[in-house]
Amino acid sequence: MKTQVIVLNGGSSSGKSGIVRCLQAVLPDPWLAFGTDTLVEAMPASLQTSDGGIEFAADGAVIVGPEFRALEAAWIEGVAAMARAGARVVIDEVFLGGADSQRRWQKALGELRVLWVGVRCDGTVAAGREVARSDRVTGMAASQADVVHQGVVYDLEVDTTHTESMECARTIAASVE
């Protein structure tokens, strides 16, 4: 059975989005890309100002509430349904809950063939990238660099600290069937 889903997990500013774009360029078949940023951007602005939604604290912490979790669960099921319908999908994720986050995806993806990829980056390097971006709260990269990997089991890991996105994408693509 061919790989149907690639899940990239890493902290903010670890280089996942760049790897996804490179994967779409190097993989022979078309792959759809979805990420946690896609989900957050699709939500109403009111969920970024309510206790039940998602909050980006001044120190970079991300706090999610029950309304966010309910929409996230529906979104995860929807992405899994697309893969079951024949779309090949790359997921750009941040497992804030470590192994618990992975379990939510595993449950939804069920029998699909999934390549689990850890995207690591030294927290200091990721924090430097974060400063260069205008769309992140300072502190997010450092706070997520290690916690998102706790208890998560991968088929493959890449490290973007000193490795370019294209090289990481080629490494991942070599593991895709």
Side-chain angles (χ1 to χ4, degrees):
M1 180 190 300
K2 287 185 171 187
T3 304
Q4 297 160 287
V5 179
I6 302 169
V7 178
L8 302 180
N9 173 50
S12 178
S13 299
S14 64
K16 298 179 309 297
S17 298
I19 292 171
V20 169
R21 286 188 298 275
C22 292
L23 277 169
Q24 287 180 305
V26 301
L27 289 168
D29 299 315
W31 287 72
L32 297 176
F34 297 102
T36 198
D37 289 344
T38 311
L39 171 62
V40 171
E41 289 167 10
M43 290 186 173
S46 62
L47 282 186
Q48 293 189 26
T49 59
S50 73
D51 291 342
I54 185 169
E55 178 186 346
F56 301 96
D59 65 355
V62 179
I63 302 110
V64 297
E67 291 173 359
F68 176 90
R69 284 285 181 230
L71 289 173
E72 177 192 45
W75 178 74
I76 289 171
E77 289 294 334
V79 171
M82 283 187 282
R84 280 190 194 86
R88 296 179 94 181
V89 179
V90 183
I91 301 164
D92 172 346
E93 255 290 9
V94 180
F95 288 171
L96 294 174
D100 288 339
S101 298
Q102 185 178 36
R103 278 191 285 279
R104 282 194 292 275
W105 276 103
Q106 287 171 325
K107 181 180 177 196
L109 296 172
E111 76 291 347
L112 295 169
R113 175 114 183 216
V114 180
L115 179 66
W116 298 94
V117 181
V119 179
R120 295 192 181 266
C121 183
D122 177 80
T124 305
V125 171
R129 293 175 186 167
E130 177 179 73
V131 170
R133 299 173 68 162
S134 61
D135 64 343
R136 294 290 185 259
V137 176
T138 303
M140 219 186 243
S143 70
Q144 295 176 3
D146 294 321
V147 71
V148 299
H149 299 291
Q150 290 178 355
V152 178
V153 177
Y154 298 113
D155 299 308
L156 175 68
E157 292 188 41
V158 294
D159 191 324
T160 65
T161 304
H162 302 292
T163 307
E164 294 297 321
S165 295
M166 185 55 84
E167 187 176 337
C168 291
R170 286 188 178 117
T171 299
I172 295 165
S175 294
V176 172
E177 295 178 23

